[in-house]
């Protein structure tokens, strides 16, 4: 209901003269007399802009139009009776007869008042409804013919009485719930006896739009009008109850905030007395730090916005500390803070050579990067991926690079990471949210251009929490990482100046799209000579320092280091060698403390005394006096190795048997070698009938070790050719290469490790594919000066080079079945 404003009815009482015949509360009899009173044929019409007058109701209206003022004054001098009609469009200043509603209310002017602001206020009371019949005049004001509005008789009874009672009760509830409606309005409603006047009274004060009130005025049946009013009252009551509920809740929250405010003010005063940081001082400190940052305009605006948000948060709220942590992270990140690169290439090369023996390809690539960066000054940092077996120095190489170019160093271990949020961070809405490890590492480094080592990138996993390797695609793409987005930071961060160096043991486990974004540099295993130099220059001094010994207390000669390498380690790197040297140092330290000195310099017998009996037998070539035994070269995770392939014939029907824990690829190589030999038997001087009289057995020791790969293809072919031709293989000869059914020899990988294994085993001749010549050129000449290389393209070349002319027995004996 509309505020029962100080309710028009209550305003009318004190301003009415005592001699005025006016009764604000109509009885049923008064209403009947008023409704049955005679109507004139015509009335002066007063258009109302924003209200509807109901019979019996007293309202004040402000008259502002010249026409309306003239009409009211003339009517007041006469019988004071006018017609009041609401206009259809409230925005029209001077409505015509056609722009008025057809149903209005006969009104009696009770009083005209001149207000202090110069406006004219008229107190009117509705009498009865009428309908417009036709226009008489438009000037100086509207005058029209009217006719009585016929009201339909309503049914009286219990149902109607209940309806009126519900309306009265609901109206009283609204008055009670609304603080703006005076209690006198409730007294007035309780004292209204006439149902018609009650409905008119409430309809006039409903909080409803003008069209709805006009609709009520035009309803002829009182019962229908009452139902409509009850429906609207019900809506108003529900809205008022909801409003009060919301206000009470807000009031309760406000009371709590006020209480918290006073408590925080007291806490603030206590903290100031104790000399602690108050929230105000904390925010001032954040602002001061922000002024010193060299960040972009966008980052500065975002920080200030978040700082303003912090100012609106209650310091006692849980969100306060979350917001403080976020702002401190933004301040700690090295936005546009760069360390100065050292472009002294000779110095950089000296540092790299001092820290790492060998690794020439990697060092050359770093020097190339520095040279280009010195010329261009803004080169996008390359994404290098160092691939090689464990212990060859891939991770420690990152530290050397950082020291060589004068950059900060940071490392991120990727082994076992399965959650994408580890890379991109969590959104701040999560409890315990943190930035990703990329951002955390940059914060730790303190610059935006560190050397960033992504260690063990091939060990990244994936599960239901996401695929971290996919999240790394943006990090490792030089075209995209200038705007890396972390979910926690919520801002783009430029990673294009970071020098990323990834390390991996194998490329097979790296996602292809991720692999495509990196420059692959193979870090091969070390030769024995290289390991000896590394031990002398790095490992022995390091272990001496760790265990508190001096150079005079512990020293190893080259032959002793070689013995440790050959007999106690089997690896591509030097991690196991360092452990063994550490054991030797501890053994010497124990004897020194126990005053039981060891002989100097340390010899082989002292090594065996401390380390125990040798673990591995040194690999030497074994002479084979029978046909069918060939030496192959293999690659393992710990470096190169020699591999014997044995073949033997037994009477049968041409069955091929393979043993030695072979993988599918090696089995296929044996099948291809056999098929090629059968197809080209005449080329090798073999009678094709032999294949149907003898079973072939190929074995690769040791049987407990799984073996696979295409490298043994030419070795298996040579073993089969040796068995069927009964020609022995040349001494100190080894081979590696893949074969095809057409007789081609294809290149294989791991050549450096294989060649070094051949040299360790006293091999003097090596057969390999012509396409592998480039791999031999990358090996230092000192390591291969005693080796002879045979480069082949066809399989018959392999057989011609590998097999001797003399035969163990005449192959014709095989046709007769003689073993």
């Amino acid at each position: 209901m509309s505020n029962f404003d100080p309710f028009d009815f209550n305003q009318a009482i004190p301003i009415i003269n005592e001699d005025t015949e006016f009764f604000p509360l109509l009885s049923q009899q008064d209403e009947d007399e008023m409704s049955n009173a005679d109507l004139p044929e015509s009335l002066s019409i007063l258009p109302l802009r924003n209200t509807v007058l109901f019979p019996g109701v007293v309202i004040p209206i402000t008259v502002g139009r010249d026409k309306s003022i003239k009409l009211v004054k003339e009517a007041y001098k006469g019988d004071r009776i006018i017609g009041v009609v609401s206009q259809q469009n409230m925005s029209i200043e001077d409505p015509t007869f056609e722009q008025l509603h057809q149903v209005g209310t006969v009104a009696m002017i009770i009083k005209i008042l001149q207000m202090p602001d110069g406006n004219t206020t008229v107190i009117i009371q509705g009498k009865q409804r009428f309908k417009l019949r036709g226009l008489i005049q438009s000037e100086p004001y509207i005058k029209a013919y009217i006719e009585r509005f016929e009201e339909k008789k309503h049914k009286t009874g219990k149902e109607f009485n209940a309806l009126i009672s519900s309306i009265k009760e609901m109206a009283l509830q609204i008055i009670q719930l609304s603080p703006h409606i005076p209690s006198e309005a409730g007294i007035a409603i309780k004292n209204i006896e006439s149902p018609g006047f009650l409905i008119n009274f409430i309809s006039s004060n409903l909080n409803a739009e003008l069209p709805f009130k006009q609709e009520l005025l035009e309803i002829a049946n009182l019962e229908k009008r009452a139902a409509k009013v009850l429906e609207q009252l019900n809506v108003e009551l529900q809205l008022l109850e909801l409003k009060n509920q919301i206000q009470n809740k807000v009031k309760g929250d406000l009371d709590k905030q006020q209480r918290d405010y006073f408590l925080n003010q007291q806490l603030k005063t206590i903290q100031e007395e104790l000399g602690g940081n108050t929230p105000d001082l904390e925010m001032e400190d954040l602002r001061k730090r922000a002024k010193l940052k060299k960040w972009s305009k966008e980052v500065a605006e975002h920080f200030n916005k978040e700082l303003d948000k912090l100012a609106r948060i209650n310091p006692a709220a849980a969100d306060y500390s979350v917001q403080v942590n976020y702002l401190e992270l933004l301040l700690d990140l090295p936005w546009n803070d760069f360390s100065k690169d050292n472009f002294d290439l000779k110095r950089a090369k000296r540092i790299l050579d001092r820290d790492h023996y060998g690794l020439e390809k990697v060092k050359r690539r770093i020097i190339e990067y520095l040279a280009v960066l010195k010329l261009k000054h803004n080169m996008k940092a390359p994404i290098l991926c160092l691939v090689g077996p464990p212990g060859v120095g891939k991770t420690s190489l990152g530290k050397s690079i950082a020291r060589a170019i004068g950059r900060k160093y940071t490392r991120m271990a990727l082994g076992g990471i399965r959650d994408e949020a580890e890379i991109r961070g969590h959104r701040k809405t999560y409890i315990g949210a943190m930035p990703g490890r990329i951002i955390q590492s940059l914060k730790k480094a303190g610059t935006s251009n560190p050397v960033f080592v992504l260690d063990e990138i091939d060990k990244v996993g994936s599960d239901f929490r996401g695929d971290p390797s996919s999240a790394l695609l943006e990090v490792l793409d030089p075209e995209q990482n200038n705007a890396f987005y972390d979910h926690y930071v919520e801002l783009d961060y430029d990673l294009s100046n970071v020098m990323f160096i990834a390390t991996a043991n194998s490329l097979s486990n790296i996602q292809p799209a991720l692999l495509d974004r990196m420059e692959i540099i193979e870090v091969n295993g070390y030769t024995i000579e290289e390991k000896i130099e590394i031990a002398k220059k790095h490992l022995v001094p390091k272990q001496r320092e760790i265990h508190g010994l001096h150079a005079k207390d512990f020293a190893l000669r080259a032959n002793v280091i070689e013995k440790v390498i050959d007999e106690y380690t089997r690896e591509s790197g030097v991690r196991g060698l360092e452990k063994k040297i550490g054991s030797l140092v501890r053994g010497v330290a124990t004897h020194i403390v126990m005053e039981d000195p060891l002989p100097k310099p340390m010899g082989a017998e002292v090594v065996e005394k401390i380390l125990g009996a040798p673990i591995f037998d040194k690999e030497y070539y074994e002479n084979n006096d029978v046909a069918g035994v060939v030496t192959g070269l293999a690659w393992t995770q710990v470096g190169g190795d020699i591999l014997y392939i044995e073949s033997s014939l037994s009477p049968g029907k041409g069955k091929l048997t393979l043993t030695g824990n072979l993988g599918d690829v090696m089995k296929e190589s044996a099948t291809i070698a056999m098929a090629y030999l059968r197809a080209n038997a005449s080329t090798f001087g073999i009678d094709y009938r032999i294949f149907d009289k003898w079973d072939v057995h190929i074995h690769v020791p040791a049987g407990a070790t799984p073996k696979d790969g295409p490298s043994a293809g030419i070795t298996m072919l040579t073993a089969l050719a040796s068995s069927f031709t009964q020609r022995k293989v040349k001494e100190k000869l080894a081979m590696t290469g893949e074969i095809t059914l057409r007789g081609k020899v294809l290149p294989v990988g791991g050549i450096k490790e294989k060649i070094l294994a051949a040299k360790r085993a006293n091999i003097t001749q090596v057969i390999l594919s012509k396409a592998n010549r480039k791999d031999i050129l990358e090996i230092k000449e000192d390591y291969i000066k005693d080796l002879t290389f045979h480069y082949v393209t066809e399989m018959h070349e392999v057989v011609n080079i590998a097999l001797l002319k003399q035969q163990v027995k005449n192959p014709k004996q095989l046709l007769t079945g003689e073993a």
Side-chain angles (χ1 to χ4, degrees):
M1 297 178 69
S2 66
N3 300 346
F4 273 95
D5 236 332
F7 180 58
D8 305 328
F9 161 71
N10 291 309
Q11 286 183 344
I13 295 175
I15 60 175
I16 297 174
N17 294 330
E18 293 180 359
D19 58 346
T20 303
E21 294 182 3
F22 166 65
F23 300 93
L25 297 181
L26 299 182
S27 63
Q28 184 65 54
Q29 182 181 354
D30 295 333
E31 186 181 6
D32 292 341
E33 290 178 359
M34 190 170 61
S35 300
N36 296 325
D38 294 334
L39 288 179
E41 291 185 0
S42 63
L43 279 177
S44 299
I45 304 300
L46 176 66
L48 294 184
R49 188 193 295 265
N50 54 10
T51 188
V52 175
L53 178 63
F54 288 85
V57 178
V58 177
I59 62 170
I61 58 172
T62 300
V63 181
R65 303 168 183 159
D66 292 339
K67 286 184 177 182
S68 300
I69 293 173
K70 188 172 184 180
L71 182 151
V72 169
K73 288 183 178 179
E74 288 186 4
Y76 193 68
K77 294 175 183 177
D79 59 4
R80 302 188 184 183
I81 301 297
I82 60 173
V84 176
V85 182
S86 298
Q87 57 190 63
Q88 296 175 7
N89 190 340
M90 291 185 293
S91 61
I92 297 175
E93 182 63 30
D94 187 13
T96 63
F97 180 78
E98 290 76 15
Q99 292 171 333
L100 301 176
H101 286 289
Q102 294 300 302
V103 177
T105 306
V106 176
M108 176 182 175
I109 300 174
I110 298 172
K111 192 71 176 176
I112 297 177
L113 300 173
Q114 291 297 325
M115 306 305 289
D117 58 1
N119 289 328
T120 300
T121 298
V122 182
I123 309 297
I124 59 175
Q125 182 181 27
K127 295 296 183 182
Q128 59 177 300
R129 294 174 176 81
F130 71 86
K131 290 182 68 174
L132 293 174
R133 194 157 52 88
L135 179 66
I136 298 175
Q137 64 179 45
S138 296
E139 297 296 339
Y141 43 78
I142 297 174
K143 194 169 184 179
Y145 293 112
I146 66 168
E147 62 183 19
R148 185 181 296 276
F149 181 84
E150 296 296 338
E151 294 196 27
K152 297 180 180 179
K153 289 186 177 181
H154 61 276
K155 297 179 181 179
T156 58
K158 290 182 180 180
E159 188 175 340
F160 180 75
N161 292 336
L163 181 60
I164 297 301
S165 178
S166 297
I167 291 173
K168 185 178 290 189
E169 183 180 342
M170 200 167 289
L172 292 172
Q173 287 181 15
I174 291 173
I175 293 170
Q176 186 178 0
L177 289 174
S178 179
H180 304 293
I181 302 177
S183 58
E184 288 83 353
I187 296 172
I189 289 178
K190 288 179 181 178
N191 288 284
I192 294 176
E193 299 175 356
S194 168
F197 178 59
L198 176 68
I199 293 169
N200 289 337
F201 182 81
I202 293 175
S203 298
S204 178
N205 291 282
L206 281 173
N207 188 13
E209 299 292 333
L210 195 65
F212 181 78
K213 290 187 177 183
Q214 181 65 31
E215 182 185 349
L216 289 176
L217 185 68
E218 294 179 2
I219 295 176
N221 187 280
L222 181 60
E223 189 175 3
K224 289 184 179 179
R225 200 183 321 145
K228 197 85 172 175
V229 169
L230 181 63
E231 182 181 337
Q232 181 65 21
L233 283 175
N234 190 34
V235 172
E236 284 193 34
L237 181 60
Q238 291 179 13
L239 288 174
L240 193 57
E241 287 174 342
L242 183 60
K243 178 181 174 183
N244 288 340
Q245 183 181 349
I246 293 171
Q247 287 178 344
N248 290 333
K249 183 179 178 182
V250 171
K251 182 177 181 297
D253 292 342
L254 187 60
D255 290 344
K256 184 179 182 301
Q257 287 183 6
Q258 288 176 341
R259 175 177 173 275
D260 291 346
Y261 172 76
F262 288 124
L263 289 174
N264 280 309
Q265 288 299 107
Q266 292 175 350
L267 183 62
K268 178 179 173 182
T269 305
I270 294 170
Q271 286 177 335
E272 287 175 350
E273 289 294 327
L274 295 173
N277 256 0
T278 63
D280 292 341
L281 292 176
E282 194 170 34
M283 289 194 62
E284 187 61 30
D285 179 59
L286 293 174
R287 289 188 194 279
K288 287 180 181 178
R289 290 173 60 190
K291 290 178 181 178
L292 302 176
K293 297 297 291 184
K294 296 183 289 186
W295 47 28
S296 64
K297 181 181 176 182
E298 292 78 8
V299 178
E301 289 177 353
H302 180 79
F303 178 85
N304 291 329
K305 180 181 176 183
E306 294 296 322
L307 191 61
D308 292 339
K309 186 187 293 183
L310 177 66
R312 297 191 296 270
I313 299 176
N314 188 332
D319 290 343
Y320 185 84
S321 60
V322 173
Q323 189 71 359
V324 169
N325 291 339
Y326 175 68
L327 292 172
E328 287 183 342
L329 173 72
L330 293 183
L331 290 170
D332 291 339
L333 284 176
W335 305 91
N336 296 323
D337 287 336
F338 302 101
S339 58
K340 188 175 181 182
D341 290 326
N342 190 332
F343 295 117
D344 187 347
L345 302 189
K346 292 182 179 178
R347 172 183 171 275
K349 191 173 188 308
R350 282 198 307 270
I351 292 175
L352 292 173
D353 288 338
R354 183 187 68 202
D355 292 349
H356 288 81
Y357 189 84
L359 306 179
E360 301 301 328
K361 188 188 294 185
V362 185
K363 296 175 184 176
R364 184 171 64 248
R365 180 65 186 87
I366 300 304
I367 299 300
E368 289 172 359
Y369 166 70
L370 286 176
V372 175
L373 189 60
K374 184 175 182 179
L375 294 174
K376 196 177 178 185
H377 297 292
N378 62 347
M379 176 187 177
K380 287 184 177 178
I383 313 296
L384 304 179
C385 183
L386 308 180
V387 181
V392 295
K394 301 185 296 297
T395 304
S396 62
L397 192 61
K399 289 184 180 179
S400 297
I401 293 171
R403 190 160 49 250
I405 64 180
R407 290 191 178 188
K408 293 292 184 69
Y409 168 82
T410 186
R411 171 181 167 272
M412 175 179 168
L414 295 173
I417 287 182
R418 295 178 177 274
D419 192 349
E420 181 186 348
E422 291 281 346
I423 307 297
R424 287 194 175 277
H426 305 80
R427 299 191 184 279
K428 285 191 299 179
T429 52
Y430 293 113
I431 296 173
M434 295 175 62
R437 293 175 64 180
I438 299 290
I439 294 296
Q440 290 184 46
S441 298
L442 288 176
K443 172 187 169 184
K444 180 181 176 182
T447 64
S448 288
N449 64 336
V451 173
F452 199 130
V453 174
L454 297 169
D455 217 3
E456 308 288 358
I457 199 169
D458 57 330
K459 307 298 191 300
V460 175
S462 63
D463 60 11
F464 64 93
R465 288 167 288 192
D467 184 4
S469 61
S470 297
L472 284 170
L473 293 177
E474 183 183 4
V475 177
L476 299 182
D477 192 338
E479 300 299 325
Q480 297 180 30
N481 64 7
N482 61 343
F484 172 69
Y485 186 85
D486 185 277
H487 292 316
Y488 184 85
V489 177
E490 296 180 343
L491 290 166
D492 289 339
Y493 196 95
D494 187 1
L495 298 178
S496 61
N497 296 293
V498 178
M499 186 174 185
F500 286 104
I501 298 176
T503 70
N505 298 131
S506 172
L507 298 178
S508 59
N509 297 327
I510 302 177
Q511 190 184 40
L514 187 59
L515 191 63
D516 183 58
R517 285 163 167 79
M518 298 186 290
E519 181 179 341
I520 307 301
I521 299 177
E522 291 187 4
V523 184
N524 298 312
Y526 298 110
T527 63
I528 291 180
E529 292 80 2
E530 287 175 329
K531 288 182 179 181
I532 292 172
E533 290 299 319
I534 291 170
K536 288 164 64 176
K537 292 182 178 180
H538 301 285
L539 304 183
V540 172
K542 179 182 176 182
Q543 290 299 320
R544 271 203 309 252
E545 182 180 355
I546 290 174
H547 295 91
L549 297 184
H550 301 288
K552 61 183 178 63
D553 298 324
F554 181 83
L556 289 179
R557 290 180 299 183
N559 64 323
V560 176
I561 296 174
E562 185 175 358
K563 175 180 176 65
V564 175
I565 293 170
D566 284 336
E567 300 180 7
Y568 293 93
T569 66
R570 181 160 291 180
E571 58 179 350
S572 295
V574 292
R575 191 169 287 146
L577 176 59
E578 184 177 6
K579 293 176 182 177
K580 295 301 178 183
I581 292 174
S583 297
L584 291 174
V585 174
R586 287 191 296 274
V588 171
T590 303
H591 281 273
I592 291 175
V593 172
M594 296 179 68
E595 299 180 352
D596 181 17
L598 292 169
K600 298 177 183 177
M602 184 179 290
E605 66 282 356
V606 177
V607 171
E608 291 191 13
K609 181 180 179 181
I610 297 175
L611 298 181
I615 301 173
F616 303 106
D617 293 330
K618 192 171 181 179
E619 298 165 349
Y620 287 107
Y621 169 77
E622 298 177 2
N623 289 326
N624 50 298
D625 296 327
V626 296
V629 181
V630 186
T631 305
L633 299 175
W635 178 91
T636 68
Q637 288 188 346
V638 296
D641 200 357
I642 62 172
L643 193 72
Y644 293 103
I645 294 183
E646 305 169 343
S647 66
S648 65
L649 303 179
S650 58
K653 297 182 180 180
K655 179 182 176 183
L656 176 63
T657 303
L658 303 171
T659 57
N661 203 351
L662 306 183
D664 292 338
V665 177
M666 286 190 75
K667 291 178 181 178
E668 290 171 359
S669 294
T671 306
I672 292 171
M674 190 69 182
Y676 175 78
L677 202 62
R678 292 178 72 115
N680 298 273
S682 58
T683 304
F684 301 106
I686 303 173
D687 193 317
Y688 70 93
R689 291 173 294 176
I690 293 176
F691 295 106
D692 297 327
K693 292 181 175 292
W694 296 84
D695 290 339
V696 182
H697 186 162
I698 296 178
H699 178 67
V700 185
T705 304
K707 295 170 278 291
D708 200 8
S711 301
I714 63 172
T715 314
M716 288 186 169
L717 171 70
T718 305
L720 291 172
S722 175
S723 292
F724 282 107
T725 61
Q726 288 298 298
R727 293 161 59 186
K728 292 195 296 183
V729 180
K730 289 181 180 178
E731 289 188 356
K732 297 184 178 181
L733 173 75
M735 60 188 69
T736 182
E738 184 179 2
I739 59 176
T740 71
L741 204 56
R742 294 174 297 154
K744 300 292 182 184
V745 178
L746 302 181
V748 291
I751 293 299
K752 180 181 177 182
E753 287 84 356
K754 292 176 180 178
I755 297 304
L756 297 179
K759 188 179 179 185
R760 288 197 300 270
N762 294 329
I763 298 292
T764 58
Q765 298 183 69
V766 178
I767 300 176
L768 64 163
S769 172
K770 193 173 184 179
N772 282 125
R773 183 193 293 269
K774 65 181 186 304
D775 300 303
I776 301 298
L777 296 176
E778 293 182 359
I779 304 174
K780 282 187 178 182
E781 291 186 7
D782 294 344
Y783 300 153
I784 57 176
K785 60 183 178 182
D786 298 328
L787 292 175
T788 301
F789 296 99
H790 302 281
Y791 301 106
V792 298
T793 56
E794 301 287 339
M795 287 160 70
H796 64 82
E797 297 178 58
V798 177
V799 175
N800 292 337
I801 294 171
L803 301 184
L804 297 172
K805 297 298 181 183
Q806 71 269 22
Q807 297 172 333
V808 178
K809 64 169 67 173
N810 190 342
K812 290 183 179 179
Q813 293 176 326
L814 298 177
L815 282 175
T816 62
E818 298 180 19

